[in-house]
């Protein structure tokens, strides 16, 4: 056999390397999973934590005791129960003492036990002192009552508890994190009152669903006042599957125009948050922040000041950016992986986990009651023998004085058991007083009543359940507190884009006839007077802001988007626009636009079709652009027209001098397409280029329309356009003599 063990001639055991390494690694994996990294569902503790709590209880370090040096506890832990490094044991102990790490701390520390800014800044164990908290009693109070199994320690010289008899599901209350081999656990902390409420609901309805239990458990409850912003549906899904993620966001308010951060997410460091913000300020990625200050003190453990540059800064938008880019908002993984009462690790849903813990609690309570019942019955048995002795005290004394071995004689004479006879022989003379008989009968009555109560509870599942419910309620009343992490619905935080963080300056973008593009600061630029390459000249310009995109329309009806702040300066002659775009070869650029996303523009082809679009619809992240305007056969793209909100009429004119005026509202608003017919031109004439729409513009009641034909022009006030008003799509009316061949339109506002 390949993996068979062989014994050599000299008695050495030989094993194939593959079999040995496989077994060794599996043994190591199981050890890490079961004895180091994962918590037990019963008490929610890992072995090192359980041993620390037990060792402290053995040292008498209850909540009411005096503090003792932490080194004393660590010495006991590693010397008696946990043969590992002292620093590892001490770090586990520190974590249980930090009220910003544990929702319900198990250790009460005196000295430097770290801070939220730096949890590992705690003093050495020789300097700090510690004892157990009152809450630790919830785990320890029933330990000596026969409730749990005991196992030998690592050297077999003493016993230690396999688990602690927790009276509440500590596995959920304090949560835990751990990395084993091939698996990990991340259990968030919860509120004691909420968890107890869910347990009581499960006692009443053992088949309660996760959704029903979540009427009590609203969600995790971290030891911080920061907001839990995970949607409720995601929290329910997390409890259904045992896996998910949570998001926490810092709490803030305004004070004299400044932002004050008063609570940070779980395990977030205030100094690190300020460092992250400062790095953005140095990189000039946060122009709206003027200064930062840390005003945290004993009264205000978290008080971070973020001072905006001016009172015009949108604080909501600024904080949203900081939530998205710093630890003011953090995400936490959830993986409820625990060692079940069957000794196996498993990811459990909320109802499964609580049901299993209640099974453990029921068994623990039953063992405690049975342990007490056994003690009561044993004592009643002895009292029965003592009473028999008191009723015949003279004879008993005579037998003891006369017999060499009085024990068997007493047993035979009075029908006593070995234990009863031993108890009689152990009696002290002071117990022979007259009143002792009354005491025995009184104790008998008390114990008989207790026996009846215990037997009634053990014999009735309903009474046992009621007892568990009552004890859960008592723990909640004694140690429960209000929720710390409020559940709040918030929109997803979004960081500022590069454009939003840019200084907002007025710019003029200029495109030459040969396709060279550049940007000049300001709007008072003489574009035609700029320097151009030989044989080149001015073609298009667009005015806007440095943080706005530049939208370029080509002759095929495609639109492209460029970032204005990345364009070369107008001090030079620019760069070819084709280097920034993947435009089809041979196309020309017929239009250039800048403005806000909701700015409306008129897009039209010279075939007489057009529609209204928004600049936001024309933008494209693709260097190849996007198809916006569909062109009929033989048609070409007209220069787009920016629509002023006060203007309400479209003027369309053809090369043959026909002009039509109709309401702008008659044109559809759409992101792309061919559009609707604006002025009627036979398609054949367009295809043959015999007649086409030379220009289309938008006018208001205060505008003057100028019509060009060669060097001549005709000025027409809005009131003079009545003759040309008609339904959209009509042929329009002929312009006066001399304007039968039109070259273009121009709007001159009065």
């Amino acid at each position: 056999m390949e993996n068979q063990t062989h014994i050599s001639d000299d008695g050495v055991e030989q094993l194939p390397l593959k079999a040995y390494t496989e077994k060794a690694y599996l043994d190591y994996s199981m050890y890490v999973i079961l004895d180091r990294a994962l918590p037990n569902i019963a008490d929610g503790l890992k072995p090192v934590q359980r041993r620390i709590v037990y060792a402290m209880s053995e040292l008498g370090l209850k909540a009411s005791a005096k503090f003792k040096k932490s080194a004393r506890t660590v010495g006991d832990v590693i010397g008696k129960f946990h043969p590992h490094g002292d620093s590892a044991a001490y770090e586990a102990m520190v974590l249980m003492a930090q009220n910003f790490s544990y929702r319900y701390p198990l250790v009460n520390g005196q000295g430097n036990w770290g801070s939220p800014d730096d949890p590992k800044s705690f003093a050495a164990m020789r300097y700090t002192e510690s004892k157990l908290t009152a809450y630790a009693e919830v785990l320890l109070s029933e330990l000596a009552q026969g409730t749990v199994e005991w196992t030998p320690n690592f050297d077999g010289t003493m016993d230690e508890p396999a688990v602690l008899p927790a009276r509440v599901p500590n596995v959920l209350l304090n949560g835990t994190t751990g990395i084993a081999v091939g698996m990990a656990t991340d259990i968030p902390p919860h509120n004691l009152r909420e968890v107890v409420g869910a347990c009581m609901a499960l006692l009443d309805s053992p088949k309660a669903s996760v959704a029903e239990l979540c009427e009590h458990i609203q969600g995790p409850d971290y030891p911080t006042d920061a907001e839990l912003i995970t949607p409720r549906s995601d929290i329910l899904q997390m409890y259904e599957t045992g896996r998910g993620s949570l998001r926490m966001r810092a709490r803030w308010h305004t004070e004299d125009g400044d932002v004050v951060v008063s609570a940070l997410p779980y395990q977030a460091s205030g100094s690190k948050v300020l460092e992250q913000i400062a790095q953005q300020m140095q990189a000039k990625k946060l122009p709206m922040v003027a200064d930062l200050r840390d005003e945290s003190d004993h009264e205000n453990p978290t008080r971070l000041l973020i001072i905006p540059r001016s009172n015009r800064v949108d604080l909501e938008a600024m904080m949203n950016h900081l939530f998205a880019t710093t630890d003011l908002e953090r995400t936490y993984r959830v993986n409820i992986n625990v060692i079940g009462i069957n000794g196996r690790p498993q990811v459990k849903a909320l109802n499964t986990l609580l049901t299993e813990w209640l099974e453990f609690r029921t068994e623990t309570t039953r063992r405690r009651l049975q342990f007490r019942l056994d003690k009561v019955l044993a004592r009643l048995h002895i009292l029965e023998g003592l009473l028999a002795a008191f009723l015949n005290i003279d004879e008993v004394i005579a037998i003891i004085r006369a017999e060499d071995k009085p024990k068997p004689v007493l047993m035979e004479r009075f029908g006593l058991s070995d234990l009863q006879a031993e108890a009689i022989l152990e009696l002290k003379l002071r117990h022979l007083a007259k009143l002792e008989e009354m005491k025995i009968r009184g104790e008998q009555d008390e114990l008989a009543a207790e026996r009846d109560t215990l037997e009634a509870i053990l014999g009735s599942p309903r009474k046992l359940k009621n007892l568990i419910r009552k004890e859960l309620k008592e723990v909640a009343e004694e140690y429960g507190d209000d929720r710390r992490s409020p559940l709040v619905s918030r929109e997803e935080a979004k960081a500022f884009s590069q454009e939003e963080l840019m200084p907002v300056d007025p710019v003029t973008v200029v495109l030459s006839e040969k396709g060279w593009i550049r940007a000049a600061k300001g709007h008072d630029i003489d574009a035609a007077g700029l320097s151009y390459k030989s044989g080149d000249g001015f073609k298009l310009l667009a005015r806007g802001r440095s943080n706005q995109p530049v939208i370029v329309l080509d002759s095929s009806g495609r639109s492209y988007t460029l970032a204005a702040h990345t364009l070369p300066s107008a001090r030079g002659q620019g760069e070819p626009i084709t280097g920034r775009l993947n435009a089809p070869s041979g196309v020309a650029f017929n239009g250039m636009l800048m403005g806000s996303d909701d700015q409306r523009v008129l897009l039209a082809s010279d075939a007489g079709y057009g529609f209204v679009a928004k600049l936001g619809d024309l933008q494209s992240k693709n260097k190849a652009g996007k198809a916006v305007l569909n062109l009929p056969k033989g048609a070409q793209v007209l220069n787009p027209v920016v629509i002023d909100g006060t203007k309400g009429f479209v003027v369309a004119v053809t090369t043959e001098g026909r002009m039509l005026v109709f309401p702008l509202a008659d044109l559809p608003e759409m992101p792309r397409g061919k559009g609707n017919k604006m002025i009627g031109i036979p398609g054949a004439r367009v295809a043959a280029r015999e007649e086409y729409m030379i220009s289309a513009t938008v006018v208001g009641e205060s505008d003057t329309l100028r019509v060009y034909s060669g060097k001549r022009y005709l000025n027409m006030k809005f009131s003079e356009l009545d003759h040309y008003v008609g339904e959209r799509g009509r042929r329009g009316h002929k312009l006066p003599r001399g304007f039968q061949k039109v070259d273009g339109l121009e709007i001159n506002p009065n």
Side-chain angles (χ1 to χ4, degrees):
M1 293 288 289
E2 186 183 341
N3 293 338
Q4 190 172 350
T5 302
H6 298 286
I7 306 296
S8 64
D9 295 338
D10 54 359
V12 176
E13 182 182 358
Q14 295 179 333
L15 189 71
L17 183 62
K18 176 179 182 294
Y20 171 76
T21 52
E22 185 176 308
K23 181 179 185 303
Y25 189 70
L26 280 173
D27 288 348
Y28 165 72
S29 303
M30 290 307 294
Y31 167 75
V32 172
I33 291 167
L34 299 177
D35 288 321
R36 189 187 296 180
L38 299 190
N40 194 295
I41 195 170
D43 54 14
L45 300 176
K46 301 176 186 179
V48 64
Q49 297 168 329
R50 186 179 302 115
R51 287 162 178 166
I52 289 168
V53 172
Y54 176 63
M56 291 181 80
S57 74
E58 288 296 284
L59 282 168
L61 295 177
K62 299 292 174 74
S64 55
K66 289 182 179 179
F67 287 95
K68 274 188 183 173
K69 285 287 184 186
S70 301
R72 175 79 183 275
T73 298
V74 172
D76 264 29
V77 170
I78 64 175
K80 292 180 178 178
F81 310 112
H82 199 69
H84 295 271
D86 58 344
S87 59
Y90 183 50
E91 279 195 33
M93 184 176 170
V94 167
L95 195 70
M96 293 193 289
Q98 293 174 337
N99 59 7
F100 50 85
S101 295
Y102 258 46
R103 183 65 178 82
Y104 300 96
L106 295 168
V107 177
N108 185 359
Q110 190 167 263
N112 176 13
W113 290 78
S115 68
D117 261 359
D118 187 4
K120 291 191 179 289
S121 63
F122 50 86
M125 68 180 107
R126 61 182 178 274
Y127 299 118
T128 62
E129 297 178 334
S130 55
K131 61 180 179 178
L132 291 169
T133 60
Y135 173 76
E137 276 298 298
V138 173
L139 305 178
L140 292 164
S141 62
E142 298 175 357
L143 189 58
Q145 299 176 29
T147 48
V148 292
E149 297 294 333
W150 292 75
T151 57
N153 70 338
F154 64 91
D155 62 1
T157 56
M158 58 181 67
D159 288 339
E160 61 175 315
V163 293
L164 298 180
R167 289 188 283 152
V168 285
N170 185 61
V171 67
L172 277 182
L173 299 180
N174 276 319
T176 191
T177 61
I179 300 172
V181 178
M183 62 178 66
T185 183
D186 290 278
I187 306 172
H190 289 75
N191 184 273
L192 176 55
R193 288 176 182 165
E194 293 183 6
V195 172
V196 166
C199 288
M200 290 165 72
L202 204 57
L203 284 170
D204 293 331
S205 307
K207 294 191 176 178
S209 66
V210 168
E212 289 168 336
L213 294 179
C214 284
E215 290 176 14
H216 301 275
I217 299 178
Q218 300 301 308
D221 186 23
Y222 288 89
T224 170
D225 298 331
E227 297 173 344
L228 191 61
I229 61 168
T230 307
R232 181 155 178 80
S233 57
D234 291 359
I235 291 176
L236 284 172
Q237 181 69 16
M238 175 194 84
Y239 286 135
E240 289 274 6
T241 60
R243 290 191 176 94
S245 65
L246 297 165
R247 279 188 300 137
M248 288 199 88
R249 182 177 289 183
R251 292 179 78 173
W252 64 280
H253 62 275
T254 55
E255 204 172 280
D256 300 327
D258 300 335
V259 169
V260 178
V261 177
S262 57
L264 292 171
Y266 180 56
Q267 292 180 331
S269 160
S271 57
K272 186 180 178 184
V273 166
L274 291 178
E275 185 184 331
Q276 290 171 330
I277 300 173
Q279 284 175 352
Q280 293 191 42
M281 291 169 69
Q282 288 168 1
K284 299 194 174 174
K285 291 183 176 178
L286 211 55
M288 67 286 295
V289 176
D291 197 11
L292 301 170
R293 263 201 320 272
D294 188 350
E295 296 186 351
S296 306
D297 54 28
H298 287 292
E299 289 184 9
N300 302 291
T302 302
R303 184 178 166 86
L304 310 180
L305 244 70
I306 303 171
I307 302 163
R309 196 163 291 281
S310 76
N311 57 8
R312 294 189 302 276
V313 172
D314 184 345
L315 297 182
E316 287 280 353
M318 179 186 81
M319 291 305 293
N320 265 338
H321 169 78
L322 293 177
F323 289 142
T325 57
T326 70
D327 280 352
L328 287 174
E329 182 176 312
R330 292 187 70 176
T331 301
Y332 305 90
R333 191 180 67 166
V334 175
N335 183 24
I336 307 175
N337 190 5
V338 296
I339 298 171
I341 53 178
N342 60 0
R344 296 180 180 180
Q346 186 184 357
V347 177
K348 298 182 188 292
L350 179 64
N351 54 351
T352 308
L353 183 136
L354 289 180
T355 300
E356 203 165 312
W357 182 83
L358 282 171
E359 286 178 26
F360 163 78
R361 181 61 191 156
T362 303
E363 182 58 26
T364 303
T365 308
R366 190 188 301 278
R367 289 180 66 159
R368 185 190 81 212
L369 296 175
Q370 188 62 53
F371 180 82
R372 178 59 187 161
L373 180 59
D374 292 343
K375 292 274 187 188
V376 168
L377 292 173
R379 181 62 180 163
L380 280 170
H381 180 62
I382 287 170
L383 289 175
E384 190 182 330
L386 291 176
L387 194 58
F390 270 97
L391 293 174
N392 302 278
I393 192 66
D394 294 336
E395 192 177 350
V396 168
I397 292 171
I399 291 171
I400 294 171
R401 290 188 67 187
E403 298 291 336
D404 291 336
K405 291 184 179 179
K407 189 174 179 180
V409 178
L410 286 172
M411 290 172 65
E412 184 179 350
R413 170 67 185 84
F414 299 108
L416 301 175
S417 68
D418 187 274
L419 282 172
Q420 289 172 323
E422 189 66 39
I424 291 168
L425 292 171
E426 292 289 337
L427 269 176
K428 294 179 180 177
L429 287 174
R430 71 171 63 145
H431 292 150
L432 299 179
K434 264 188 174 182
L435 293 173
E436 197 63 31
E437 184 184 339
M438 299 299 294
K439 284 183 183 177
I440 291 173
R441 291 191 183 277
E443 188 181 350
Q444 263 187 327
D445 293 341
E446 285 178 18
L447 291 177
E450 187 180 353
R451 177 199 61 205
D452 294 342
T453 303
L454 290 169
E455 287 177 344
I457 295 171
L458 285 168
S460 168
R462 183 177 59 80
K463 286 184 178 178
L464 185 61
K465 197 179 285 187
N466 288 339
L467 177 64
I468 294 168
R469 181 188 288 103
K470 179 188 167 191
E471 290 176 348
L472 281 169
K473 195 173 180 181
E474 285 171 356
V475 174
E477 286 172 356
E478 187 172 356
Y479 301 104
D481 56 3
D482 294 333
R483 166 174 278 279
R484 285 195 62 184
S485 304
L487 287 110
V488 185
S489 177
R490 301 283 187 199
E491 290 185 9
E492 190 173 346
K494 190 178 178 185
F496 288 130
S497 63
Q498 191 176 352
E499 289 79 8
E500 289 172 309
L501 293 169
M502 288 288 298
V504 183
D505 299 318
V507 294
T508 302
V509 179
V510 180
L511 184 68
S512 74
E513 292 176 348
K514 295 279 181 72
W516 287 65
I517 193 167
R518 50 190 150 165
K521 285 187 177 180
H523 285 169
D524 54 348
I525 305 298
D526 178 13
L530 293 174
S531 169
Y532 292 90
K533 290 185 179 293
S534 176
D536 201 1
F538 167 72
K539 182 176 184 183
L540 298 169
L541 73 76
R543 293 186 177 93
R545 301 278 171 184
S546 56
N547 64 338
Q548 291 175 333
V550 182
I551 295 167
V552 184
L553 204 66
D554 73 10
S555 55
S556 69
R558 296 183 75 80
S559 70
Y560 308 86
T561 305
L562 300 170
H565 66 272
T566 64
L567 296 176
S569 168
R571 292 193 187 95
Q573 292 174 332
E575 65 180 52
I577 192 171
T578 50
R580 291 176 172 253
L581 308 175
N582 293 337
S585 59
V587 298
F589 296 99
N590 292 13
M592 194 160 64
L593 300 159
M594 288 183 76
S596 61
D597 286 354
D598 57 358
Q599 172 64 61
R600 300 193 306 158
V601 292
L602 174 63
L603 299 182
S605 66
D606 64 7
Y609 288 87
F611 61 93
V612 176
K614 288 183 178 177
L615 284 188
D617 294 330
L618 306 185
Q619 293 178 31
S620 170
K621 293 180 181 178
N622 194 338
K623 287 182 73 174
K626 63 191 282 191
V628 173
L629 184 63
N630 297 339
L631 299 176
K633 187 178 179 182
Q636 295 180 9
V637 176
L638 291 181
N639 204 358
V641 179
V642 175
I643 298 170
D644 187 332
T646 61
K647 299 180 180 182
F649 287 87
V650 178
V651 178
V653 62
T654 72
T655 50
E656 293 297 313
R658 288 188 170 274
M659 188 165 79
L660 178 67
V661 180
F662 63 89
L664 176 64
D666 290 353
L667 279 180
E669 190 170 305
M670 48 204 280
R672 65 178 67 84
K674 175 182 174 182
N676 286 8
K677 184 174 282 192
M678 296 167 61
I679 187 168
I681 310 171
R685 291 180 67 80
V686 174
R689 308 304 288 167
E690 294 174 1
E691 182 186 5
Y692 48 88
M693 187 166 70
I694 188 70
S695 184
T697 190
V698 182
V699 296
E701 295 181 8
S702 61
D703 294 336
T704 298
L705 182 70
R706 179 173 286 183
V707 183
Y708 286 94
S709 179
K711 292 183 180 180
R712 293 185 301 168
Y713 60 84
L714 174 66
N715 283 337
M716 303 175 73
K717 291 184 178 179
F718 184 80
S719 57
E720 297 170 351
L721 297 177
D722 284 351
H723 175 64
Y724 301 98
V725 173
E727 292 181 7
R728 177 187 59 77
R730 300 289 187 183
R731 279 290 275 155
H733 288 88
K734 281 275 191 179
L735 285 162
R737 189 182 297 276
F739 289 90
Q740 302 300 310
K741 291 290 182 183
V742 178
D743 294 320
L745 301 175
E746 189 178 283
I747 301 293
N748 292 319
N750 290 331

